[in-house]
Amino acid sequence: MTTESPLDESTQSGTSTLYRGGFVYGAADPFATAFVVADDHVAWIGSDEAAAGHADGVDAVVDLEGALVTPTFVDAHVHMSATGLGLRSVDLTDALSVRQVLDRIESAARERGGRLVYAPNWDEQGWPEKRPLTSKELDRATYGGVAYSPRVDGHSAVISSALAAASGARNHPGWNDSGLVTLEAHHAARDAFYSGISAADRRSDIDAALKAAAAAGIGLVHENGGPTLSSEADFADVLAAGLRGHGPQVIGYWAELVGDEESARALASRMGARGLAGDLNVDGSIGSRTASLREPYADGQDSLDGGHTARCGHPYLSVEQVRDHVVACSLAGIQAGFHVIGDAGVDTAIAGFQAAAHQVGVARVTAARHRLEHLEMVDVDGIKALVELGVTASVQPAFQALWGGPDGMYSARLGHERAGGMNPFAAMNAAGMTLALGSDTPVTPFAPWEAIRGCVNHYDTAQRISAESAFLAHTRGGWRAAGIDDCGYLGLGQPASFALWSVGSHAPSRGLTLARLPDLSPGATLPTNLRTVIRGRTVFELEGVS
Ligand SMILES: [Zn+2]
C-alpha cells in the first residue's frame, strides 16, 4: 500500500482519507473499490472512477493495490487476560507427549525464575503415555513452584502441590490425588492462581491480547467474565481497555446468576455488563467429560478424574435456576445467557427458557435477546425451540475443526453417531437462528478466517454453510448477538472499522469486479492482514507495509 499524505496515516480527528484501488467486501455497493473515511465513520463509498473527484478534497489518499477490504470481525467469546497470560506462557498446544510437556514447562520455570507458571492447552489424546501429566511431575518440572496447567478445554487442570496447598483444592469435590482437578477443586485452584498475578501484569496481559485481536482483524470482542472465571477487577480492566480506543472495542458479559429483576439490573449496571451471560455454566466440556449428556460417555470408564464425574457429565445448573435467571433478566430487559455443550445440558437450558417464557410471556423473553455459548449438541427440535424464543448461538467453529471428525476427540468421547451430529451450523442457519462466531480464546487463538474456513469445511457435509454466511456470522452476527442490529458492515455513516487484507488471488482489474471472499479450501493460504482500522483509528499495521 502507498499513502500520499503530509499526515501520519492513522486518521486523526478532523481528517479524512480516501482509500482506493481495493475490493470492498460486505458493502452496500457490491462493486465498490474505494471509500472515504472522515473522522471515525465512512463518509463515501463507490468506484475508483467516482473516487477521482474525492482525491483533492481529502487529507490523505491510500492506494490499496488490490487489497481486500472487509468490515472488522467480531469475536463473540473471549477471555482477554487469560489470553494475554497465555501469550507469555508455555505453549503446549502442539506438545506430543507428557515428556515434551514437562520439558517445555521446566525450561519455562527456569526462565521465569520462581514466578508463577501458567502452562495451558495440553491435550492427552494421542500422547504415547495415554494420560495427562501428574502433580508430582509438575512439581519436579517447576522445582516446587506454583503452577497451573489447564487442559485445552479449560474445564480441568493439573496443579502443582504448592498451588494445591495454597488453594485448598484438596477439600473440594473434583479433587484427585494425581493432581488433575475438575469442578470446584479446579475453580479453587484457578482462583488462587489468578489472585497471585499482580494487577499491573494482568493489565499488560489484557493489552497484549487486544493487540493480538487487532492484528487478526478483529474490531470487537465479547469478554466473558464471571466470579468463578476471572474477577470483578479483571472484568473492569478489560472493559476500560476497550474504551481507551487503542484496540478492539469490548462488550462484556458477566456470568453470575440472579434471582430477581432488581438484582439483575443492579448487577449488570455495577459491572458495566451488557448481559448476565457468557460462561454461566449449565455444564462443562466434552474433553473433560463434564458436559452434561443424555447417555453416558462412550469412554467414561477411564474417566479423567478417576470417577468423581458422573458417567453422564456434570450438570451445574437446574431447569429452575435457568428459569429464574432468565425471568429476572427478561423483566430487566437485560441479556441472559449460558455456557452449554452437552445434549442434556441443552435440554436443561431450553426447558429453563421455556419455563421463563411461560412466566413472563414469549415477547418479553424474545425482546431481551438472550444467547447461548457453544451449543454444540443441539438437535433440530432444540434449534426450533430456541429460535421461537429469539435465542442467539455463539459458536466456535474451531472446536469442531479441532475435535470433530471420525478420529477426533468428540468421537472418542461420544461415539461416531453422537459426535457426528455436533455443531449443526447449517441446521441453525436454515432455522433462522442468529449465529455469532468466536474463538473462546485462550482455548483456540484469534483466527477469524480459520473460523470461516471451519464452517465451510465442516466434517458433516450437510452442516456446511457458505463462506458468505459464515462471514456474516463473524461480522454482523457478532453485533446482533449483543443486541445491536445495524452494525458490522461498511456503509455510509457506519463506523469506519475495517481491515485490509492481502489475498493474492485478486488481480487488479479495470471495469467492474465483484469483491469476493478468498479461497478458503483446506490448505489454501489465508489472507494476511495489512492494517486494522477501528472507528477511523489505525490500531494495527503490518510491519514493512505503509
Ligand atoms: Zn469461554
Side-chain angles (χ1 to χ4, degrees):
M1 282 183 306
T2 50
T3 305
E4 292 163 31
S5 157
L7 294 167
D8 177 60
E9 65 274 11
S10 60
T11 308
Q12 313 288 322
S13 179
T15 68
S16 57
T17 305
L18 166 65
Y19 292 81
R20 67 181 178 195
F23 297 89
V24 186
Y25 184 83
D29 174 358
F31 298 107
T33 53
F35 59 105
V36 172
V37 172
D39 295 338
D40 59 356
H41 65 277
V42 177
W44 176 85
I45 193 159
S47 68
D48 277 9
E49 279 166 25
H54 288 274
D56 294 336
V58 295
D59 302 304
V61 177
V62 176
D63 191 340
L64 294 167
E65 293 168 6
L68 177 70
V69 184
T70 68
T72 45
F73 290 106
V74 177
D75 192 323
H77 191 124
V78 306
H79 303 277
M80 288 318 244
S81 67
T83 298
L85 181 61
L87 292 172
R88 61 173 170 93
S89 75
V90 195
D91 188 19
L92 301 179
T93 309
D94 59 349
L96 298 173
S97 64
V98 170
R99 192 64 264 151
Q100 208 171 54
V101 162
L102 294 171
D103 284 348
R104 290 187 194 179
I105 292 176
E106 186 168 352
S107 63
R110 263 198 241 115
E111 259 170 51
R112 296 186 53 74
R115 285 181 299 153
L116 305 181
V117 175
Y118 177 58
N121 290 347
W122 53 266
D123 184 351
E124 83 291 356
Q125 296 285 317
W127 286 355
E129 295 91 346
K130 306 262 178 251
R131 62 166 179 86
L133 53 160
T134 66
S135 181
K136 280 205 182 85
E137 289 168 332
L138 193 55
D139 290 346
R140 274 199 298 274
T142 60
Y143 308 94
V146 172
Y148 171 61
S149 184
R151 193 179 183 283
V152 62
D153 55 88
H155 288 264
S156 58
V158 177
I159 61 173
S160 67
S161 303
L163 181 56
S167 63
R170 225 172 266 281
N171 308 318
H172 293 283
W175 168 260
N176 186 291
D177 287 333
S178 70
L180 179 73
V181 291
T182 57
L183 309 175
E184 284 84 350
H186 175 218
H187 299 159
R190 183 172 59 187
D191 288 350
F193 181 79
Y194 283 121
S195 67
I197 297 169
S198 76
D201 276 355
R202 194 163 41 68
R203 287 186 195 121
S204 72
D205 287 342
I206 292 166
D207 286 342
L210 284 169
K211 228 173 144 181
I218 292 163
L220 168 70
V221 296
H222 296 183
E223 167 72 7
N224 283 242
T228 63
L229 283 159
S230 51
S231 67
E232 296 198 5
D234 180 54
F235 190 70
D237 284 340
V238 177
L239 295 185
L243 286 174
R244 276 202 300 275
H246 300 300
Q249 295 174 263
V250 176
I251 284 175
Y253 289 95
W254 183 253
E256 188 170 342
L257 279 185
V258 286
D260 62 83
E261 179 184 352
E262 207 31 63
S263 337
R265 241 185 232 118
L267 181 60
S269 102
R270 180 164 65 83
M271 297 307 302
R274 175 158 289 264
L276 300 175
D279 281 331
L280 188 44
N281 286 66
V282 168
D283 66 353
S285 76
I286 305 281
S288 293
R289 295 192 189 81
T290 49
S292 180
L293 301 181
R294 292 174 185 163
E295 303 291 333
Y297 281 88
D299 62 349
Q301 254 59 25
D302 49 358
S303 172
L304 267 182
D305 73 347
H308 278 283
T309 299
R311 291 177 62 226
C312 291
H314 191 85
Y316 288 89
L317 294 179
S318 66
V319 172
E320 292 70 30
Q321 285 172 305
V322 171
R323 177 197 64 200
D324 293 349
H325 184 71
V326 173
V327 164
C329 290
S330 299
L331 289 174
I334 290 168
Q335 284 187 290
F338 305 90
H339 157 121
V340 61
I341 288 180
D343 47 11
V346 173
D347 293 340
T348 300
I350 293 172
F353 276 116
Q354 287 175 330
H358 193 71
Q359 272 191 25
V360 300
V362 171
R364 265 244 158 80
V365 170
T366 308
R369 312 280 295 261
H370 303 307
R371 54 188 279 172
L372 288 174
E373 308 303 310
H374 317 310
L375 195 60
E376 291 196 82
M377 290 181 78
V378 65
D379 56 24
V380 176
D381 291 339
I383 294 169
K384 193 165 162 266
L386 291 169
V387 169
E388 277 165 14
L389 295 174
V391 177
T392 298
S394 158
V395 299
Q396 294 72 36
F399 289 7
Q400 181 65 25
L402 277 173
W403 303 314
D407 304 319
M409 181 269 283
Y410 288 157
S411 277
R413 293 278 192 275
L414 304 168
H416 292 322
E417 203 184 316
R418 279 188 294 174
M422 290 183 70
N423 291 300
F425 301 144
M428 290 168 160
N429 217 26
M433 182 173 243
T434 294
L435 284 184
L437 308 190
S439 62
D440 201 358
T441 175
V443 178
T444 73
F446 296 115
W449 289 112
E450 288 281 9
I452 294 170
R453 172 147 76 182
C455 294
V456 174
N457 299 289
H458 197 295
Y459 284 104
D460 180 355
T461 52
Q463 294 303 338
R464 291 180 178 173
I465 58 175
S466 66
E468 291 76 14
S469 298
F471 181 87
L472 268 180
H474 220 345
T475 49
R476 290 194 78 157
W479 288 95
R480 285 196 179 128
I484 301 163
D485 289 321
D486 192 38
C487 233
Y489 63 99
L490 293 169
L492 275 187
Q494 280 288 311
S497 296
F498 57 90
L500 309 179
W501 306 92
S502 159
V503 177
S505 62
H506 265 306
S509 67
R510 286 184 208 125
L512 294 182
T513 308
L514 198 62
R516 55 194 157 81
L517 291 173
D519 180 8
L520 295 167
S521 50
T525 307
L526 293 175
T528 305
N529 189 8
L530 305 172
R531 182 187 293 194
T532 304
V533 176
I534 297 173
R535 292 189 292 181
R537 194 166 181 170
T538 299
V539 297
F540 165 78
E541 183 127 48
L542 186 69
E543 269 175 52
V545 178
S546 70

